[in-house]
Amino acid sequence: MARALISVTDKSGVVDFAQRLVSLGFDILSTGGTAKALREAGIAVTDVADITGFPEMLDGRVKTLHPMVHGGILGDRRLESHLTQMDQAGIVGIDLVCVNLYAFEKTVTGDHDLDEAIESIDIGGPAMVRAAAKNFHNVTIVVDPADYDRVGDALSAGSINALRMELSAAAFRHTAYYDSVIARYLSEAAGVDPLSGTVTMGVRKQLAMRYGENPHQVAGLYVDPLAKNGIAQAEQLWGKELSYNNLLDADGAWELVMDLVPNSCAIIKHGNPCGAAEMGSMAESYSAAKSSDPISAFGGIAAFHGVIDLAAAEAMTQPNNFLEVVIGLGFTNEAIEVFKNRKGWGQNVRLLVASASPTESYLTVRSIRGGVLIQGSDEDPGHEWQVVTKRQPSDNELAAMKLAWRMIPHVKSNAIVLTDDRQLLGVGAGQMNRVQSVRLALEQAGETAPRCALGSDAFFPFPDSIETAAAAGVKAVIQPGGSVKDDEVIARADELGITMVLTGTRHFRH
């Protein structure tokens, strides 16, 4: 008679699965809470302790780590030598292993201490899963309750052999993910350099997508269980399914607006801000942000630093507006109803509630063919600023510089922004030379340029950008410095009556 060993933390569906296995002629072996749940459902169960001759011990740390269990799982019944050794040792084969693991992830993402985390590390479970997955020619391994019906159907149809390699691969993904979470948790707890040696990062599928950046590309959203909350963990309240590009731009908008003050708004289009403002209310901030570049804002993603209220929703849903995604720390019921009742795009706009982004650095990962690049996120280290020109900035100019410097990390290099003390008025993004980015930003700012501070993500290699800005009336510049021609650039700023601040920090974004 076939034997199945069932020992699960997630008990959803396990009683029905066990009953189906019994109906197919399986004897059931089990442990602890799983055995109790099955017996309470009227299923006959043999305790693993009855076949090992040892009770559970060490507070449950040792249950299944025994040759009578692992010999039954690992024995290759295609080999006469294995069958002989199993017979001599009195080991009976186990044909199906149904195991999922202690909820380590749940423990460490809630309130806990280190001892609780350690006791949530499963040892016997992964050992059985890996043993069964290795021996998939003889043993069926099931780690996901979503597979119970499929496995039951295959067993009933006599086609389980065709499914076993796929289940084996799923099992190894299951244990690899589990171990990656433990490794990262303990590494962080021990203060280990996250980029020393091997980097493990398990992610779990959160959202299936119709396609990626383009219709011919496959894609999905995968969530890091140990990451701080961001757009990946946002709750969607309304609208169509999110796309790959929606999420990229939503992330950019959210990261920017979290660097701005409460009630602010940021609008992103194709990875760059086309508007941002810090006004007295979210409705005013949206209107000001949109006014910076209304053509680009059409079809953009708007993020708000606060709970989106009725007035903000009404401002966004005015005629000639269109937004793909709206993000906030929350929405009032009245605001949600405004979108729901808006004809046309209001039926599709994605409304997302996200948590405030933490300020500490995190690892960012980018793929290149054959590998990945990993670095810490771009969090400004707060170096002391230096006024390097003869003229000191006025209070308004300094306020505009501060706003420009909070916005510049969110613009693709070569990046130039023009801001007054409350809003973004010009952007030059992604150009191959810096002076061209200056020209684009000035063109967008138009006649507002004279009241703006100009921010640059990196140094000016020549005075030409300063000369171009001065010709448009710009009188304040903030930049990292670090060029071999800094002295020449500063001297030209003095000649043109420009006040200049060096921050000592570069903010490239590629």
Side-chain angles (χ1 to χ4, degrees):
M1 181 175 285
R3 297 204 302 174
L5 194 159
I6 305 177
S7 181
V8 294
T9 297
D10 178 0
K11 295 179 176 56
S12 56
V14 74
V15 168
D16 290 342
F17 185 52
Q19 287 172 335
R20 187 165 187 185
L21 293 176
V22 170
S23 73
L24 292 169
F26 280 81
D27 281 341
I28 306 297
L29 311 177
S30 193
T31 63
T34 305
K36 182 175 182 290
L38 297 180
R39 285 194 180 101
E40 287 175 351
I43 298 170
V45 174
T46 300
D47 284 314
V48 165
D50 291 339
I51 67 168
T52 65
F54 281 87
E56 294 182 13
M57 59 190 301
L58 304 179
D59 297 321
R61 287 188 173 196
V62 178
K63 301 176 185 177
T64 58
L65 297 170
H66 194 280
M68 299 300 287
V69 174
H70 283 272
I73 297 172
L74 280 167
D76 187 344
R77 281 149 259 177
R78 300 171 301 170
L79 302 178
E80 192 62 37
S81 60
H82 280 209
L83 292 172
T84 299
Q85 292 175 64
M86 291 170 69
D87 184 59
Q88 290 172 346
I91 295 173
V92 180
I94 295 173
D95 304 282
L96 184 145
V97 174
C98 177
V99 171
N100 53 61
L101 309 177
Y102 291 172
F104 181 84
E105 180 182 328
K106 181 179 179 181
T107 297
V108 299
T109 53
D111 292 332
H112 71 284
D113 58 31
L114 181 60
D115 286 341
E116 290 170 324
I118 297 302
E119 289 308 313
S120 293
I121 298 175
D122 202 329
I123 300 300
M128 289 190 292
V129 169
R130 288 172 59 83
K134 175 177 179 175
N135 198 23
F136 68 87
H137 287 296
N138 301 279
V139 180
T140 302
I141 175 63
V142 189
V143 296
D144 188 348
D147 287 329
Y148 289 167
D149 286 344
R150 192 162 66 119
V151 170
D153 291 344
L155 288 166
S156 297
S159 59
I160 193 63
N161 288 350
L163 191 57
R164 279 178 173 161
M165 183 181 286
E166 179 185 337
L167 294 169
S168 171
F172 280 116
R173 290 197 304 272
H174 185 65
T175 57
Y177 174 84
Y178 188 78
D179 285 341
S180 75
V181 176
I182 296 169
R184 281 186 57 208
Y185 173 85
L186 292 177
S187 295
E188 291 174 10
V192 175
D193 179 356
L195 294 183
S196 61
T198 301
V199 175
T200 62
M201 185 176 293
V203 292
R204 176 176 288 149
K205 192 171 188 176
Q206 176 86 354
L207 180 66
M209 296 177 179
R210 286 183 298 154
Y211 56 84
E213 201 161 9
N214 299 292
H216 62 277
Q217 294 173 269
V218 297
L221 170 64
Y222 292 78
V223 173
D224 177 353
L226 298 184
K228 303 298 184 183
N229 285 345
I231 284 298
Q233 291 81 17
E235 177 187 3
Q236 184 171 353
L237 303 181
W238 177 255
K240 289 174 60 177
E241 64 185 33
L242 287 156
S243 72
Y244 182 94
N245 293 329
N246 287 157
L247 284 165
L248 281 179
D249 281 351
D251 182 63
W254 192 242
E255 292 300 306
L256 170 53
V257 86
M258 285 293 100
D259 280 347
L260 306 180
V261 301
N263 290 327
S264 58
C265 172
I267 305 174
I268 294 284
K269 188 76 166 287
H270 293 301
N272 283 300
C274 54
E278 298 179 335
M279 299 295 177
S281 71
M282 282 179 283
E284 292 172 316
S285 292
Y286 171 76
S287 296
K290 178 192 170 189
S291 70
S292 299
D293 187 354
I295 294 175
S296 298
F298 189 85
I301 278 88
F304 294 83
H305 193 154
V307 176
I308 295 168
D309 57 18
L310 176 62
E314 289 176 338
M316 285 182 272
T317 53
Q318 291 297 309
N320 301 318
N321 283 357
F322 166 47
L323 294 168
E324 290 274 3
V325 182
V326 179
I327 316 154
L329 292 171
F331 290 78
T332 66
N333 290 333
E334 294 83 0
I336 294 173
E337 289 304 311
V338 168
F339 289 106
K340 288 183 176 180
N341 292 326
R342 210 280 190 190
K343 293 181 180 179
W345 63 266
Q347 306 307 302
N348 297 324
V349 63
R350 296 92 169 163
L351 305 183
L352 301 184
V353 173
S355 298
S357 298
T359 56
E360 64 264 25
S361 180
Y362 63 95
L363 291 184
T364 68
V365 182
R366 291 184 66 175
S367 295
I368 58 175
R369 193 177 292 273
V372 296
L373 296 171
I374 304 177
Q375 66 174 352
S377 58
D378 183 9
E379 313 296 338
D380 195 288
H383 293 150
E384 185 176 353
W385 293 2
Q386 297 180 12
V387 180
V388 292
T389 48
K390 295 175 182 177
R391 187 170 76 80
Q392 296 290 311
S394 68
D395 289 344
N396 281 346
E397 286 173 333
L398 186 58
M401 288 177 174
K402 289 179 178 178
L403 182 58
W405 200 245
R406 281 183 278 136
M407 292 186 181
I408 201 69
H410 304 279
V411 182
K412 291 184 179 177
S413 301
N414 286 308
I416 296 292
V417 297
L418 287 165
T419 72
D420 63 13
D421 61 340
R422 305 192 77 182
Q423 73 182 102
L424 178 66
L425 292 165
V427 179
Q431 299 305 299
M432 286 68 73
N433 68 78
R434 191 157 300 278
V435 70
Q436 182 61 18
S437 287
V438 172
R439 294 187 188 108
L440 289 173
L442 291 169
E443 180 183 355
Q444 183 183 338
E447 62 186 24
T448 68
R451 75 171 195 249
C452 290
L454 182 149
S456 176
D457 65 336
F459 64 66
F460 294 103
F462 303 102
D464 52 357
S465 291
I466 303 303
E467 293 163 350
T468 302
V474 173
K475 293 294 184 182
V477 172
I478 184 168
Q479 55 123 335
S483 170
V484 295
K485 294 195 175 183
D486 273 353
D487 290 344
E488 185 177 336
V489 170
I490 294 166
R492 188 64 177 131
D494 279 331
E495 291 171 4
L496 295 168
I498 288 175
T499 181
M500 181 178 289
V501 167
L502 301 188
T503 67
T505 301
R506 190 180 73 185
H507 284 297
F508 271 167
R509 183 165 179 253
H510 291 93

